[in-house]
């Protein structure tokens, strides 16, 4: 027999009518018509009441619950939520159960998705790191093995090979250092040491440090309209030094030979906007969104040749995030690239 609300209501109504009828038949003055009428009325009212209660309060909700679970199994949360009538509060406890099931399933699903995303990220990261470590390591190994195989006796190549091995290992050490910095920034091990300093002075120091690299590519390092007064910002000196060093050295490395690297400042009441521009080949649109990802390089071979770890901009973004600010990029192919970020002035709260 199929159990549904109609069958249950019918059964209950028949029993109530039968009981009412048999009780009334015991009464002496109850006529056949009265008994029939009482049976009919109790049957009808009992049937309607039970049917409505079961159908609308229980069976329909249970049916919806099953359908919703089926939808959840197929990860169709939108239809499931529609079936359960959204998330508005309801007096019906079964409806509440339904909603809780849906909310719970949704929460679990998003947790699973997050775990999957992290797992994919971890896998990709390990693959990237191994790949990046492999390149300089194998190069150094190659030079040393060649030396051991006899090249060490050749005075002409001995020094050259040792120097090449040393340069590869230097690249490796830089990469490991950058990886460590990135991990420590992400895990919160590195905290920002806020202090007041002149951002123009810091830029001049960064220029001095990178002067030789710029000279090698005949690139001029300029501060646009050098401000006469100091531009004091409230930030972590060493970390902003790292940011500027990376942006300026990128502009030198990837800029146009014989071109320029120009830093400009725009101060307002709350802080200073810093822009680092070059007139190099620029970054094609399709790469711009991904440029801040770790290990992402536009021109894989050229970038590697230039000796970068591919982590510079990822570190820059992290450091600026720790300063509650962001970095923006404007680049046009054949025209040049500008990176811009904002630092709060001394005396203004670091969290804007
Ligand atoms: N000023 C720039 N002009 C053109 N391309 C750039 C510029 N700055 C960064 N890029 C591109 O962004 C990539 C990522 O930069 P970065 O994270 O600093 O890594 P790396 O300098 O180690 O290659 C570079 O490999 C390069 O392709
Ligand atoms: Mg770099």
């Amino acid at each position: 027999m199929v159990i549904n609300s109609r069958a249950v209501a019918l059964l209950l109504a028949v029993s109530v009518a039968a009981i009412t009828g048999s009780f009334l038949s015991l009464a002496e003055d109850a006529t056949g018509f009265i008994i029939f009428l009482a049976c009919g009325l109790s049957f009808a009212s009992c049937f309607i009441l039970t049917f409505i209660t079961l159908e609308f309060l229980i069976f329909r909700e249970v049916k919806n619950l099953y359908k919703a679970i089926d939808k959840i199994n197929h990860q169709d949360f939108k239809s499931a939520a529609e079936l359960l009538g959204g998330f508005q509060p309801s007096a019906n406890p079964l409806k509440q159960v339904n909603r809780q099931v849906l909310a719970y399933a949704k929460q679990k699903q998003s947790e699973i998705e997050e775990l999957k995303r992290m797992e994919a990220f971890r896998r990709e990261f390990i693959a990237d790191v191994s790949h990046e470590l492999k390149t300089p390591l194998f190069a150094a190994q190659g030079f040393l093995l060649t030396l051991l195989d006899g090249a060490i006796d050749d005075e002409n190549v001995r020094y050259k090979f040792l120097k090449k091995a040393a340069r590869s290992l230097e690249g490796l050490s830089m990469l490991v250092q950058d990886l460590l910095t990135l991990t420590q920034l992400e895990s919160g091990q590195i905290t920002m040491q806020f202090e007041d300093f002149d951002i123009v002075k810091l830029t001049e120091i960064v220029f001095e440090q990178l002067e030789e690299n710029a000279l090698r590519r005949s690139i001029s390092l300029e501060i646009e309209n050098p401000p006469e007064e100091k531009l004091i910002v409230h930030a972590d000196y060493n970390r902003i030094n790292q940011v500027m060093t990376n942006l300026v050295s990128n502009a030198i490395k990837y800029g146009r030979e014989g071109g320029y690297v120009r830093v400009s400042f725009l101060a307002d009441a709350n802080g200073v906007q810093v822009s680092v521009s070059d007139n190099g080949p620029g970054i094609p649109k399709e790469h711009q969104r991904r440029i801040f990802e770790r290990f992402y390089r536009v021109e894989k071979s050229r970038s590697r040749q230039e000796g970068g770890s591919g982590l510079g901009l990822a570190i820059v973004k992290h450091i600026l995030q720790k300063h509650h600010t962001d970095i923006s990029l404007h680049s046009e192919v054949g025209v040049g690239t500008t990176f811009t970020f904002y630092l709060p002035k001394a005396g203004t709260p670091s969290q804007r």
Side-chain angles (χ1 to χ4, degrees):
M1 198 182 99
V2 187
I3 296 185
N4 59 25
S5 44
R6 195 168 300 140
V8 174
L10 199 71
L11 211 70
L12 215 72
V14 168
S15 341
V16 169
I19 292 167
T20 315
S22 34
F23 264 111
L24 273 180
S25 63
L26 294 178
E28 277 173 14
D29 48 358
T31 63
F33 176 70
I34 287 180
I35 294 172
F36 177 75
L37 196 69
C39 285
L41 274 177
S42 53
F43 173 83
S45 53
C46 188
F47 178 80
I48 290 169
L49 273 175
T50 317
F51 179 71
I52 287 176
T53 313
L54 289 178
E55 181 65 22
F56 290 102
L57 295 183
I58 301 176
F59 275 88
R60 208 179 58 170
E61 289 308 323
V62 172
K63 254 188 261 166
N64 275 349
L65 186 56
Y66 276 116
K67 275 194 213 159
I69 288 172
D70 189 49
K71 297 269 182 215
I72 288 166
N73 277 338
H74 292 92
Q75 297 189 9
D76 183 3
F77 289 103
K78 201 162 166 264
S79 317
E82 272 165 19
L83 265 174
L84 301 180
F87 286 96
Q88 288 88 28
S90 163
N92 184 344
L94 271 171
K95 258 199 163 79
Q96 297 282 22
V97 171
N98 277 351
R99 276 160 203 172
Q100 273 171 17
V101 167
L102 180 65
Y104 180 76
K106 258 186 157 172
Q107 188 202 336
K108 286 291 148 212
Q109 187 59 35
S110 67
E111 277 175 23
I112 290 168
E113 265 156 29
E114 176 67 12
L115 284 174
K116 276 188 192 160
R117 209 179 53 77
M118 276 164 61
E119 168 65 15
F121 177 75
R122 195 185 60 86
R123 222 177 305 133
E124 200 181 310
F125 183 62
I126 290 177
D128 282 344
V129 171
S130 331
H131 181 78
E132 297 294 331
L133 291 176
K134 197 180 72 187
T135 317
L137 201 59
F138 281 13
Q141 192 185 29
F143 291 126
L144 294 178
L145 286 177
T146 319
L147 283 168
L148 284 176
D149 275 352
I152 195 144
D153 300 324
D154 184 343
E155 269 194 32
N156 289 330
V157 297
R158 188 164 57 193
Y159 184 67
K160 206 169 93 188
F161 276 23
L162 274 175
K163 221 170 141 184
K164 283 190 171 181
R167 189 164 319 142
S168 291
L169 290 175
E170 210 175 285
L172 189 67
S173 129
M174 244 167 57
L175 173 63
V176 173
Q177 189 55 50
D178 279 354
L179 264 175
L180 215 64
T181 308
L182 200 59
T183 317
Q184 287 174 337
L185 275 169
E186 279 187 347
S187 65
Q189 269 169 284
I190 294 181
T191 50
M192 298 297 118
Q193 308 295 321
F194 286 93
E195 58 181 306
D196 294 345
F197 61 89
D198 180 11
I199 184 76
V200 185
K201 181 88 194 126
L202 181 142
T203 309
E204 284 165 0
I205 292 171
V206 169
F207 276 1
E208 268 168 39
Q209 281 165 353
L210 296 170
E211 212 171 52
E212 247 179 72
N213 301 18
L215 215 64
R216 237 176 278 142
R217 303 201 68 222
S218 316
I219 287 176
S220 66
L221 303 177
E222 305 162 8
I223 290 181
E224 198 173 286
N225 303 325
E228 274 159 28
E229 77 280 23
K230 288 180 176 176
L231 289 181
I232 308 290
V233 293
H234 187 67
D236 183 321
Y237 181 86
N238 289 328
R239 298 295 158 197
I240 296 302
N241 190 326
Q242 211 171 349
V243 167
M244 287 303 280
T245 304
N246 197 282
L247 293 179
V248 175
S249 75
N250 274 356
I252 296 171
K253 273 196 295 187
Y254 308 114
R256 185 163 60 83
E257 194 143 11
Y260 63 77
V261 175
R262 210 168 272 163
V263 176
S264 63
F265 304 100
L266 191 69
D268 64 23
N270 296 318
V272 180
Q273 179 183 295
V274 185
S275 300
V276 180
S277 313
D278 63 64
N279 58 345
I283 302 166
K285 268 259 161 335
E286 66 270 23
H287 296 290
Q288 290 185 12
R289 211 169 37 87
R290 304 197 57 194
I291 206 84
F292 295 97
E293 288 175 16
R294 29 182 96 189
F295 301 121
Y296 195 85
R297 297 179 176 107
V298 176
E299 264 183 80
K300 309 276 184 266
S301 55
R302 196 170 78 98
S303 301
R304 185 158 299 134
Q305 207 183 333
E306 304 291 342
S309 67
L311 293 170
L313 287 178
I315 293 176
V316 163
K317 198 171 171 74
H318 262 290
I319 291 176
L320 291 175
Q321 266 170 7
K322 296 245 165 192
H323 283 80
H324 313 289
T325 178
D326 203 1
I327 182 157
S328 64
L329 160 67
H330 179 81
S331 185
E332 249 175 86
V333 173
V335 180
T337 305
T338 302
F339 286 93
T340 306
F341 62 94
Y342 188 91
L343 289 177
K345 255 187 187 165
T348 53
S350 59
Q351 195 148 4
R352 286 186 307 126

